[in-house]
Amino acid sequence: MASISLSQAILAACILSIGTTATVDVAWRDAVTPSPIGAAIAQASLPADANEAANTLFVEALQIIANTSQENDNLALLNNFQRAQILFDRIVSDYPSSQISVQLMTRQRVGTFDPEEFHNQLQLAQELWCNENEDVCFFIYSARDMAADLADLDRRLSAFLWIAWRETRIGLREGARLTYRKAIVAANESTLRYPRINRLLGIARAQMRNGYREDAELTLNNIVAIARQIEETEYRSTAMRSIAETQFQLGFEDAGLTIALEIIDDRERLLTLNEIANVQINQDRYLDAKVTANAYQRLSDRARVLGNIAVAQAQTEQFSDAFVTVREIREISDDVRRELYEIASAQAEAGFFDASLMTMNSVIDQQITGLFYSGLSDYRSRGFRDIAVSQANSGLIEDSLVVAAMINVDHHLVSAWREIARAQALAGFEDDARILFDDAIRKIFEIPNEYRSSFEFGPYQRWRPLAEVASAQVEAGFLEEARQTFAEAVNLAKTVTAVGDLDRRASALRSIAARQAEAGLTTDAMTTLSWIADEHSRSWALHDIATERLEEGAITDALLMAREIMGTEIRAEILHDIARVQIRAAPIEEAWDLLAEATQTVMQINENDDRDMLLREIASAYSSVGFFIDARNTAYEISDQNEQFDTLSSIAIDQAEAGRMEYAFSIASSISIGHIRSQTFSGIAFALAEAGYVDVARRVFTDAVAVAREVESDRRRDEALFQVMIDMSDAAVFVSQ
């Protein structure tokens, strides 16, 4: 007698309905039972002939089942059956009025197809795959069951999305699609349409990220149907904006633009079109951006977007196209000064100096009057400044001086002279550079007090350009001259007496000190900061500059400044940050010493919350490099029990990952708060799985679930189960590799 393959046996049983019957489980009932909301969505987009559409999906499902006869791989077999189940699910949810949908919902035969028998064979395929992948099966399906048990809707949705992502990683691509459908059913529990739309948009994004483009498109189409049912114009417009932007971000651009044009509220439509146009411009898709620009109703908005396109074209050195766009702007607006300025600056940066000068010479400044500035617009001066600086940086010093002479706005002239002088010094013309630096400083003091720069109020802030000149002098190698210029800037900053004078003075002194520190003048910087009268402001200024120096790798400077901070909490915070950097860059012993110093500083803080936060950070730093005893002892100093146990939990998991299982379990067992104890066991279990002790990991995960389910608070129980779910699904991926 000829033998038949397992897949052929399953196919025969499924199509011919041969074999025993079984009760349909919850998953299948969910799949064939439409929610009232789902039915409403389906009706909103129901085709003319629901029966025909349902028949098409049904035939496709049967063809998939028939193809299982060619599968000898259990994973492929399972994916085929789950793909068919998704199609049956769509028949019920999308076409509930069709004849086939009614038969599926009531579990009646459809021709020779028996839903009950199909379910039996689906379960058999799953069991066969699980027999080959017992540990992976245990982890992923246990995690999925926990996700379904979460009480909080948003947390449950997040769990489903996480599970779907992990299912895809282990090859259960169709299982992931089913999990996404569970997420959609959960999202549709929302009674308010706008929150429901936001949740469904999150699912569509997740589907797209995971490679399920068609499913994401179906989800988005259903969301559109929901949004169109919102009666309030404001809420509907806001929802349509979210949908359009998401469609565009996910690559459904025509649909996104269509929805954007449906938005009734002018502001929401404008914001949506802005978002679409900006994405297109950032992707160098200028022709598409122009199509979007033409969708604007107001000419001023259209001109603004075209201007952004012209600027972007110039910055990518597409100068001819940029000028074409400028001509298009001129058809609807007289003002193209910004665009021409940006084109000229880009031309200069690219080295096309003659062309950039021709472009700037076509710009005519206009008289403007406003809240912050009155006078001539300064596009010409800004353009000539940029050209002169680009020329100087290219070695064309004489040409740059000629162009600088065309600048008629003093503070732009100062900027140009400053950069030209720096270039002169670097080119070896040190005497000329010193003269030009002096000219720039002299010009700064000639600027009237009434001059307004940017959005500043009060007298002209001369300390700022002086500090900028001093920084340029440092780069030029004129250190002593730079110190003198910095000193002049400090003297001016000390006289700041405008509105909120202490804050403005502190801000000015802090800015100068930051430049001094960056130049390596750490002692001068600390002297500058000593002029800040308010101790708290001075401490934060020291903290900020120390942080900047730390980010630049100047650990010694940062530490010197940190130890001058009077505020205990602020000093402890920066000491901790420095210690974390030293852990990565310096000998461990030095990091330990600094952490010990930070701990002593933290213990002087009177406020419990602030002290606990920093102690937790220090304990984490100790633990991350293996100082587990110091980490544990630091954690014991935390006054808040929840914070203390959270910290101990992290230490226990770090120990488990380091292979110190006995110590990890000892700490975990000492934690008396249920949800934290559960999360700790879960983290240890994942570490065990990573180490290859999968059987032990399964037992510890089981204990973690049991502890979590005993937590009385719904929120805390969900929190614990969610973490166990993440760790178990991650373990499934790890074990499957």
Side-chain angles (χ1 to χ4, degrees):
M1 180 178 178
S3 61
I4 62 171
S5 68
L6 172 63
S7 58
Q8 288 173 322
I10 293 174
L11 174 65
C14 185
I15 300 295
L16 301 178
S17 304
I18 299 173
T20 58
T21 59
T23 304
V24 179
D25 71 355
V26 174
W28 177 247
R29 284 200 304 272
D30 288 344
V32 298
T33 305
S35 66
I37 295 171
I41 297 170
Q43 290 293 342
S45 57
L46 199 62
D49 191 346
N51 283 320
E52 182 180 347
N55 285 338
T56 300
L57 292 177
F58 185 71
V59 170
E60 184 181 348
L62 292 183
Q63 288 174 340
I64 290 171
I65 296 170
N67 288 336
T68 58
S69 61
Q70 303 170 10
E71 297 291 355
N72 293 315
D73 176 77
N74 287 330
L75 178 58
L77 193 69
L78 177 58
N79 274 324
N80 273 349
F81 274 105
Q82 289 178 331
R83 189 179 303 121
Q85 179 176 341
I86 291 168
L87 293 172
F88 294 141
D89 182 12
R90 282 189 56 196
I91 291 170
V92 172
S93 62
D94 296 354
Y95 310 109
S97 63
S98 66
Q99 183 178 352
I100 293 178
S101 174
V102 173
Q103 290 173 289
L104 290 174
M105 282 189 287
T106 56
R107 294 187 289 282
Q108 301 175 32
R109 284 179 178 271
V110 182
T112 59
F113 174 76
D114 185 347
E116 299 257 4
E117 188 58 31
F118 170 79
H119 164 68
N120 291 340
Q121 305 307 331
L122 173 61
Q123 278 203 323
L124 175 58
Q126 182 173 308
E127 289 170 7
L128 291 170
W129 178 78
C130 284
N131 288 338
E132 291 180 348
N133 305 272
E134 183 180 349
D135 293 325
V136 178
C137 182
F138 170 81
F139 288 134
I140 196 66
Y141 289 131
S142 297
R144 191 181 66 183
D145 291 343
M146 270 184 286
D149 288 343
L150 296 174
D152 180 74
L153 175 57
D154 287 316
R155 196 180 289 274
R156 186 161 74 251
L157 280 175
S158 297
F160 281 138
L161 299 186
W162 184 275
I163 293 292
W165 178 40
R166 308 320 260 164
E167 284 177 317
T168 303
R169 289 286 303 276
I170 62 180
L172 296 173
R173 289 198 58 81
E174 301 305 320
R177 295 178 67 199
L178 286 169
T179 302
Y180 281 130
R181 294 191 71 84
K182 289 178 182 292
I184 291 171
V185 170
N188 281 330
E189 293 177 11
S190 308
T191 55
L192 298 176
R193 289 194 179 99
Y194 189 66
R196 189 192 328 157
I197 286 170
N198 284 332
R199 290 176 174 124
L200 289 169
L201 286 173
I203 295 170
R205 293 188 194 99
Q207 289 172 317
M208 197 68 182
R209 281 195 302 269
N210 220 359
Y212 301 106
R213 181 181 176 84
E214 291 183 6
D215 291 350
E217 187 173 16
L218 286 171
T219 303
L220 288 169
N221 290 342
N222 282 339
I223 297 170
V224 170
I226 297 171
R228 285 173 175 156
Q229 295 173 9
I230 299 176
E231 295 180 359
E232 300 86 349
T233 300
E234 180 181 353
Y235 289 124
R236 184 169 68 254
S237 295
T238 303
M240 296 293 259
R241 176 188 169 191
S242 298
I243 295 167
E245 290 179 357
T246 301
Q247 286 175 317
F248 199 85
Q249 291 163 3
L250 297 184
F252 304 107
E253 299 186 2
D254 291 342
L257 189 56
T258 299
I259 294 300
L261 296 177
E262 283 187 35
I263 298 174
I264 297 175
D265 182 84
D266 290 341
R267 179 179 177 276
E268 292 292 343
R269 185 173 60 255
L270 176 65
L271 291 173
T272 307
L273 290 172
N274 285 346
E275 178 69 22
I276 293 173
N278 288 338
V279 170
Q280 291 170 322
I281 292 171
N282 291 336
Q283 294 175 350
D284 299 339
R285 296 165 46 206
Y286 304 125
L287 292 178
D288 291 339
K290 287 184 178 182
V291 172
T292 303
N294 287 330
Y296 285 84
Q297 292 182 346
R298 291 189 304 187
L299 294 181
S300 59
D301 293 327
R302 190 180 306 169
R304 175 178 49 78
V305 175
L306 288 172
N308 293 339
I309 295 170
V311 170
Q313 288 172 321
Q315 290 171 347
T316 53
E317 298 187 19
Q318 300 178 42
F319 298 117
S320 297
D321 292 341
F323 282 117
V324 169
T325 305
V326 167
R327 286 196 293 272
E328 292 174 9
I329 298 171
R330 279 191 164 129
E331 293 176 2
I332 55 177
S333 172
D334 294 331
D335 188 2
V336 290
R337 290 169 300 150
R338 176 181 74 98
E339 292 75 22
L340 290 174
Y341 156 69
E342 295 286 359
I343 292 172
S345 294
Q347 287 173 318
E349 189 173 346
F352 302 115
F353 301 118
D354 291 341
S356 66
L357 285 169
M358 288 180 60
T359 303
M360 270 326 303
N361 281 322
S362 67
V363 176
I364 300 175
D365 283 333
Q366 297 178 356
Q367 185 76 23
I368 57 175
T369 302
L371 175 62
F372 301 111
Y373 178 82
S374 295
L376 284 175
S377 63
D378 59 353
Y379 280 113
R380 281 176 63 84
S381 291
R382 288 164 60 187
F384 290 135
R385 175 202 63 193
D386 292 353
I387 295 169
V389 170
S390 294
Q391 287 175 317
N393 290 336
S394 299
L396 303 174
I397 304 295
E398 294 302 322
D399 290 347
S400 71
L401 289 169
V402 172
V403 174
M406 302 178 187
I407 300 172
N408 57 18
V409 176
D410 285 344
H411 81 277
H412 290 317
L413 181 59
V414 168
S415 297
W417 280 350
R418 180 191 72 224
E419 293 305 312
I420 294 171
R422 185 183 63 80
Q424 285 176 320
L426 295 177
F429 305 110
E430 295 184 358
D431 291 340
D432 292 340
R434 285 188 168 91
I435 293 171
L436 198 53
F437 274 132
D438 289 342
D439 288 344
I441 293 170
R442 187 163 47 253
K443 179 63 69 175
I444 290 170
F445 285 96
E446 292 175 0
I447 297 175
N449 284 342
E450 294 75 21
Y451 178 76
R452 298 292 182 269
S453 175
S454 299
F455 296 102
E456 290 180 349
F457 292 94
Y460 176 60
Q461 304 299 308
R462 290 188 177 86
W463 63 265
R464 195 187 306 278
L466 280 173
E468 291 170 349
V469 169
S471 293
Q473 287 174 316
V474 170
E475 293 180 42
F478 304 152
L479 194 59
E480 287 306 313
E481 290 93 331
R483 294 186 68 186
Q484 293 175 13
T485 308
F486 274 130
E488 289 187 72
V490 170
N491 287 333
L492 286 172
K494 284 155 53 177
T495 66
V496 173
T497 57
V499 178
D501 54 342
L502 283 179
D503 287 338
R504 288 173 61 83
R505 186 182 305 144
S507 176
L509 291 167
R510 179 230 174 278
S511 180
I512 296 169
R515 287 182 175 274
Q516 290 173 311
E518 186 179 0
L521 304 172
T522 306
T523 303
D524 290 355
M526 293 172 66
T527 301
T528 298
L529 292 175
S530 70
W531 289 102
I532 299 177
D534 180 67
E535 182 180 297
H536 185 74
S537 297
R538 187 168 62 252
S539 291
W540 272 115
L542 280 163
H543 170 279
D544 292 346
I545 296 174
T547 300
E548 290 170 8
R549 299 302 291 147
L550 187 62
E551 291 172 351
E552 293 162 4
I555 297 176
T556 302
D557 285 355
L559 189 55
L560 184 64
M561 290 187 162
R563 287 176 174 151
E564 292 295 318
I565 295 174
M566 299 301 295
T568 302
E569 178 185 343
I570 302 171
R571 183 170 71 253
E573 182 177 310
I574 187 61
L575 284 172
H576 163 261
D577 291 342
I578 294 170
R580 292 300 294 265
V581 172
Q582 284 193 316
I583 285 169
R584 296 191 296 269
I588 293 296
E589 294 75 15
E590 293 183 22
W592 186 91
D593 291 341
L594 201 55
L595 283 171
E597 181 182 350
T599 304
Q600 291 174 359
T601 303
V602 168
M603 294 308 296
Q604 300 173 37
I605 299 174
N606 294 324
E607 181 62 41
N608 285 346
D609 289 345
D610 295 333
R611 185 175 64 248
D612 285 353
M613 177 186 68
L614 290 169
L615 284 171
R616 181 168 183 174
E617 289 288 333
I618 293 170
S620 175
Y622 273 131
S623 182
S624 68
V625 289
F627 296 136
F628 295 120
I629 294 176
D630 297 294
R632 185 190 62 197
N633 291 339
T634 304
Y636 286 152
E637 296 293 339
I638 297 173
S639 59
D640 182 86
Q641 191 179 51
N642 277 284
E643 290 291 325
Q644 183 185 105
F645 284 152
D646 265 336
T647 307
L648 287 170
S649 174
S650 298
I651 295 169
I653 293 170
D654 284 343
Q655 286 187 314
E657 290 175 349
R660 297 162 57 92
M661 295 299 174
E662 182 179 349
Y663 296 98
F665 278 114
S666 175
I667 292 178
S669 300
S670 71
I671 297 174
S672 58
I673 296 179
H675 71 279
I676 302 176
R677 183 186 180 106
S678 170
Q679 291 169 328
T680 309
F681 279 131
S682 180
I684 294 172
F686 181 73
L688 285 164
E690 281 189 308
Y693 302 107
V694 180
D695 289 341
V696 181
R698 288 176 61 168
R699 291 198 296 272
V700 177
F701 270 129
T702 301
D703 291 342
V705 174
V707 172
R709 293 195 185 281
E710 291 177 0
V711 175
E712 293 184 3
S713 164
D714 287 345
R715 181 173 68 87
R716 292 299 191 185
R717 183 170 59 253
D718 272 8
E719 185 180 320
L721 288 172
F722 186 80
Q723 185 59 54
V724 179
M725 179 276 303
I726 287 177
D727 289 336
M728 290 188 81
S729 58
D730 286 352
V733 174
F734 183 83
V735 172
S736 70
Q737 294 172 344

